[in-house]
Amino acid sequence: MTTRFYHARILPLDGSTELFSGELVVVDGRIAFLGKEGGYTGAADREIDCRGNLLMPGFKNAHTHSGMTFLRSLADDLPLQSWLFDQVFPKEAQLTPDDVYILTKLAIMEYLTSGITMMFDMYFARDSIAAAAIDTGFRTALVGCANDFGGTAQETADEYAKFSRLDPLISYRLGFHAEYTSSEPLMRDLSALVQQLKQPFYTHLNETAAEVESCVAHSGMRTIEYLDSLGLFNYGGGGYHCVHVSEREMDILQSRNMSVITCPGSNTKLASGIAPVYEYLKRGISVAIGTDGPASNNCLDFFREMFLTTGLQKLSHGAEAVDAVDVLTMACKNGAYACGFSDCDCLAIGKQADLIMIDLHQPNMQPLNNIEKNIVYSGSKQNVVLTMVAGKVLYERGEFYIGEDPERIYAEANRIIRGMK
């Protein structure tokens, strides 16, 4: 399948190529041509006139719990610990793998409308998540979430072997839910697996002050220090949230070449705090962006996350802090790096065709003084008119092309909720 986009503005975000006008051609899922108008002379199965609209890499949602769509606006206005243990866990215990399959598809639909072309998903029933991703054509990184309520290091090893070779759309990262839901024997078993496979490790880190204080109380160390002492980050990895982090812990993140995945929408709604993104960037620590799950956010909207990522830092560090172009790098390139999909991080010949088209012919994007800054400061989901993953258009101008009737997904999601105790 060959698709030619022409009359386009193109933002490669490859670190060197500036925004330019031209055309982009996709052949069998990868970018085959990227250059000036008329430079491609081959035939195409479909030609899309972009009418001066913008092509750019898709956003990478580097932390989410997609199956939690059933909890959207069902457990709100509560602090994290009460929200998690009194509301979320009891309801999650009632979900079946079939439920997770449907609920993940619902999340994927929302991701597509927001220009998201990949998710880094932590949830149970990972076979169902992978099936939903493959069936819809959506790129997905799975991460292990073993904890004291279920999951072992051996099961994590088995999943790594299975999902790493399941499908080109799927990757798998070692991980566990969090320090506060896991015993030290489990963590030591997982550390042994890290050393055996020489793989990076991911988990929730320092999301709340209470989480850190609890870790200090039983281990004498802060959370990142404690997990690093167990060898879990010997091969790098990353932490979701990383809100309450000490200077020593930043040293660890930096020396281990770890990624921080910031989730400002969730952290704001749960009053967890503001991650020190400005300090991370000053230290050269890679920062990616995630929505977190639709129970704690509740909106899977990457434009809101991008705005909050920079806006919250400006409150403490001044209006010049965390430039919009840096935010776009976090949203695209850094997210791909964290998830193990380095061949879809930017627009370049040979890269996976994971891209989006942004409608510039709307009031919120005019005038075109600076398109990159427009995307972060004034862009919204209404500007996403096309989302392509691996060369396949999955969403275009309000229509989904995922082999599924949206109304059936909506009906099934509501059925799941009605059946819960």
Side-chain angles (χ1 to χ4, degrees):
M1 176 72 178
T2 299
T3 305
R4 174 179 173 242
F5 296 89
Y6 65 100
H7 294 162
R9 288 181 171 90
I10 300 173
L11 180 63
L13 286 176
D14 61 357
S16 60
T17 309
E18 299 294 326
L19 188 150
F20 69 95
S21 295
E23 61 182 80
L24 181 151
V25 179
V26 177
V27 178
D28 296 332
R30 292 188 179 270
I31 298 171
F33 179 84
L34 187 68
K36 293 182 179 180
E37 199 75 45
Y40 181 77
T41 58
D45 299 291
R46 183 183 180 193
E47 297 197 344
I48 299 175
D49 185 351
C50 299
R51 297 177 56 248
N53 287 325
L54 180 75
L55 295 180
M56 65 175 289
F59 305 127
K60 315 303 188 297
N61 188 356
H63 179 57
T64 188
H65 313 282
S66 299
M68 295 180 80
T69 44
F70 79 105
L71 283 168
R72 189 199 309 272
S73 302
L74 193 65
D76 291 328
D77 305 314
L78 295 168
L80 176 66
Q81 296 299 315
S82 175
W83 168 81
L84 189 62
F85 287 94
D86 298 335
Q87 297 291 328
V88 173
F89 286 164
K91 288 185 172 63
E92 282 183 330
Q94 302 178 55
L95 289 179
T96 68
D98 287 343
D99 293 339
V100 173
Y101 176 80
I102 292 292
L103 296 167
T104 300
K105 280 190 171 183
L106 178 60
I108 287 171
M109 292 167 63
E110 189 172 0
Y111 297 145
L112 293 172
T113 67
S114 189
I116 296 169
T117 56
M118 189 214 67
M119 64 179 178
F120 197 178
D121 199 281
M122 173 184 275
Y123 213 51
F124 57 90
R126 282 172 290 284
D127 285 298
S128 297
I129 300 168
I134 292 168
D135 290 349
T136 56
F138 194 74
R139 199 175 303 281
T140 297
L142 302 170
V143 62
C145 59
N147 55 65
D148 289 345
F149 305 102
T152 65
Q154 184 57 54
E155 289 170 347
T156 301
D158 293 342
E159 286 189 345
Y160 175 81
K162 176 172 63 176
F163 291 119
S164 294
R165 61 173 183 263
L166 179 65
D167 190 275
L169 288 170
I170 305 297
S171 77
Y172 185 87
R173 294 299 213 188
L174 302 182
F176 73 141
H177 176 258
E179 182 276 332
Y180 59 85
T181 57
S182 304
S183 64
E184 185 167 312
L186 172 60
M187 289 187 279
R188 289 192 179 278
D189 288 345
L190 287 167
S191 179
L193 181 61
V194 167
Q195 316 318 316
Q196 175 191 337
L197 297 176
K198 298 180 171 57
Q199 287 293 311
F201 192 85
Y202 295 80
T203 186
H204 291 95
L205 281 178
N206 300 47
E207 184 174 359
T208 66
E211 167 197 337
V212 177
E213 291 163 4
S214 174
C215 187
V216 171
H218 77 78
S219 73
M221 291 178 278
R222 295 172 63 87
T223 315
I224 295 174
E225 295 173 319
Y226 177 48
L227 298 187
D228 186 59
S229 75
L230 298 176
L232 286 166
F233 302 132
N234 283 358
Y235 295 92
Y240 309 123
H241 301 288
C242 295
V243 175
H244 302 274
V245 179
S246 68
E247 289 289 327
R248 168 62 185 143
E249 289 177 302
M250 287 192 197
D251 290 340
I252 293 171
L253 293 171
Q254 185 176 16
S255 65
R256 297 297 192 190
N257 197 28
M258 293 173 66
S259 294
V260 167
I261 295 93
T262 188
C263 306
S266 174
N267 295 155
T268 299
K269 181 170 178 288
L270 291 175
S272 300
I274 299 173
V277 171
Y278 178 79
E279 286 85 354
Y280 293 143
L281 295 180
K282 283 181 63 178
R283 286 172 170 262
I285 296 170
S286 180
V287 178
I289 301 172
T291 60
D292 208 356
S296 66
N297 191 312
N298 300 2
C299 186
L300 304 175
D301 184 342
F302 228 64
F303 291 90
R304 185 166 74 176
E305 298 304 321
M306 289 190 294
F307 182 84
L308 287 171
T309 295
T310 177
L312 292 174
Q313 300 305 304
K314 295 178 189 303
L315 293 175
S316 300
H317 301 286
E320 70 277 11
V322 188
D323 188 275
V325 177
D326 292 333
V327 174
L328 289 180
T329 298
M330 297 179 212
C332 300
K333 182 179 180 179
N334 293 1
Y337 168 77
C339 302
F341 283 123
S342 59
D343 63 346
C344 63
D345 58 337
C346 65
L347 301 186
I349 293 175
K351 294 281 189 177
Q352 290 277 356
D354 291 12
L355 57 84
I356 59 176
M357 186 192 300
I358 300 292
D359 186 358
L360 303 179
H361 298 278
Q362 297 207 26
N364 67 319
M365 299 302 285
Q366 294 288 331
L368 299 176
N369 292 321
N370 188 308
I371 291 175
E372 294 96 323
K373 292 183 186 293
N374 270 4
I375 294 167
V376 173
Y377 294 133
S378 62
S380 76
K381 295 170 73 171
Q382 76 185 45
N383 299 114
V384 178
V385 291
L386 181 145
T387 304
M388 170 182 276
V389 178
K392 181 181 177 183
V393 174
L394 302 184
Y395 172 78
E396 186 173 5
R397 300 188 183 279
E399 299 292 330
F400 296 94
Y401 301 95
I402 57 173
E404 186 66 80
D405 178 7
E407 291 301 327
R408 189 187 82 84
I409 295 297
Y410 305 152
E412 285 293 295
N414 282 284
R415 176 193 59 78
I416 291 166
I417 285 294
R418 288 196 303 270
M420 287 191 164
K421 298 177 182 177

